[in-house]
Amino acid sequence: MIHITASAITDLNRRRVLWAAAALIMPLFCHAQANTAPLRLIVPFTPGTGIDIVARQLSPRLSQKLGRPVVVENRVGASGSIGTEAVVRANPDGNTLLVSVNTLVMNRALSPNLPFDPLKDLTPVALTSWGELILVTPPKTGWKTAKELVQAAKNAPGRINYASPGVGTPHHMSMELFKNTAQVFITHIPYRGTAPAVTDLLGGQVDAMFLPIHVALAHVKAGRLVALAIGSDKRHPLMPDVPTVAQTGLGQVNVSMWFGVFAPSGMSADQVATFNRDINQILTSEEVKTAFSTQGMDPATATPAEFARLVERDADKWARLVKAQGIKAE
């Protein structure tokens, strides 16, 4: 017969309690350890762009929420594809995210030979904001409305031209959608960046252009450009007198740009949900709202599933336009 003393039972119970506590604490300890690495926010365009501003508003606030460093890394080139591919190839461990704009799905339609598919190789995490584009013209054209531009294009097919910062940019694709909807031929003049395109627009060397509100606003107020219409579903508070394209009677031309955060495909649903929750909370900050508004952007939130559906719809929309207009990447 084995005799077990009361002290032995007490020691055994104590060990069981310690083992149970260790079992509870260890996963938390490991989780904390796994999240001390810096989180990289990859921006596939240059500093100072709308996407870059989104990332730099998120980074210090995400760092505070997550208790880990968050760094913004600009990896530019190939219309955003270089930085995007870096995220696609990254480990889906929560240490790398992409901050991008709807150029992401425009490039998919324009360049079917890309080494990745943003719809399959990225996981939508959070919508962050919307940006609007304004159709503008220099005063020398004499046009006051979008209808007058369309009539001029119909009277002289191909003689009217427009500028963009390059093939596949939202500025370019927006005007192509406008042309397709209005059924007019306007010649595209692509530039290498927004600055030289705006310079020639202001100088009257080109006739029209879609510009982000924050770029167009000062020029419109100074009388250097005339705002013809906004490519959205409703007027914008910064330019309340400018009608939507639909309000001018030319049909529905919504070219609003979404901005958002993506993860490499394969990130766990729990991690995606956590990032989504934290980013959505950050977007309610008055400081963030103010920073966005100076760039003509409006904060917006969505669940990962809602954002995914938005991205898929936009991909289909631009793919149809590329096919209809016969647009080719250069």
Side-chain angles (χ1 to χ4, degrees):
M1 180 175 179
I2 300 174
H3 180 69
I4 302 176
T5 65
S7 62
I9 293 174
T10 300
D11 288 342
L12 180 61
N13 288 339
R14 186 181 297 111
R15 284 196 294 271
R16 284 174 175 169
V17 169
L18 291 173
W19 290 335
L24 289 172
I25 292 171
M26 187 57 69
L28 297 175
F29 175 77
C30 293
H31 178 73
Q33 290 290 98
N35 282 280
T36 57
L39 167 62
R40 296 187 304 155
L41 297 183
I42 304 294
V43 175
F45 294 95
T46 54
T49 57
I51 309 167
D52 184 68
I53 289 165
V54 170
R56 294 184 190 279
Q57 287 298 314
L58 291 179
S59 60
R61 295 167 176 84
L62 264 180
S63 178
Q64 189 175 31
K65 281 185 171 293
L66 299 173
R68 55 190 291 213
V70 178
V71 296
V72 177
E73 184 178 327
N74 296 88
R75 300 193 63 173
V76 305
S79 299
S81 295
I82 290 176
T84 301
E85 187 173 4
V87 177
V88 166
R89 307 300 176 205
N91 193 322
D93 55 5
N95 291 334
T96 307
L97 296 174
L98 173 73
V99 184
S100 196
V101 66
N102 61 348
T103 307
L104 183 69
V105 293
M106 293 176 179
N107 286 341
R108 177 179 183 264
L110 280 167
S111 305
N113 295 322
L114 283 174
F116 60 87
D117 183 342
L119 296 187
K120 296 177 181 177
D121 299 326
L122 291 170
T123 298
V125 173
L127 174 68
T128 62
S129 48
W130 287 96
E132 308 300 346
L133 291 163
I134 300 286
L135 178 60
V136 295
T137 186
K140 67 176 289 185
T141 65
W143 306 325
K144 301 298 183 185
T145 68
K147 267 194 169 180
E148 291 176 355
L149 164 59
V150 168
Q151 190 58 54
K154 287 182 176 179
N155 292 342
R159 290 187 60 185
I160 306 300
N161 58 41
Y162 77 94
S164 84
V167 174
T169 58
H171 318 60
H172 169 216
M173 301 292 274
S174 297
M175 184 61 91
E176 290 300 315
L177 181 59
F178 178 83
K179 287 166 54 179
N180 183 263
T181 304
Q183 290 296 289
V184 292
F185 175 38
I186 304 174
T187 301
H188 178 212
I189 302 179
Y191 287 76
R192 292 184 178 275
T194 301
V198 172
T199 297
D200 278 4
L201 180 70
L202 292 170
Q205 280 76 46
V206 287
D207 301 315
M209 187 175 183
F210 266 104
L211 281 176
I213 286 183
H214 74 279
V215 177
L217 186 59
H219 298 302
V220 171
K221 286 186 173 181
R224 293 187 293 266
L225 291 174
V226 178
L228 302 178
I230 184 170
S232 62
D233 288 334
K234 59 184 179 180
R235 300 187 186 210
H236 197 278
L238 288 177
M239 304 181 82
D241 296 332
V242 179
T244 68
V245 175
Q247 287 172 341
T248 68
L250 294 174
Q252 188 61 251
V253 179
N254 187 332
V255 294
S256 299
M257 301 180 296
W258 50 255
F259 297 80
V261 177
F262 296 80
S265 178
M267 178 179 282
S268 73
D270 286 346
Q271 279 186 307
V272 171
T274 297
F275 279 127
N276 179 270
R277 181 198 65 216
D278 289 344
I279 291 170
N280 286 351
Q281 289 174 355
I282 288 169
L283 294 171
T284 64
S285 161
E286 290 302 321
E287 290 181 350
V288 171
K289 290 178 182 178
T290 299
F292 280 12
S293 67
T294 60
Q295 297 298 312
M297 292 187 294
D298 301 302
T301 60
T303 66
E306 290 168 342
F307 185 33
R309 288 193 291 271
L310 168 63
V311 172
E312 289 170 3
R313 287 196 305 271
D314 216 36
D316 289 342
K317 167 184 170 180
W318 295 114
R320 290 195 303 271
L321 178 72
V322 166
K323 183 177 180 180
Q325 295 292 93
I327 304 171
K328 304 292 183 184
E330 292 184 355

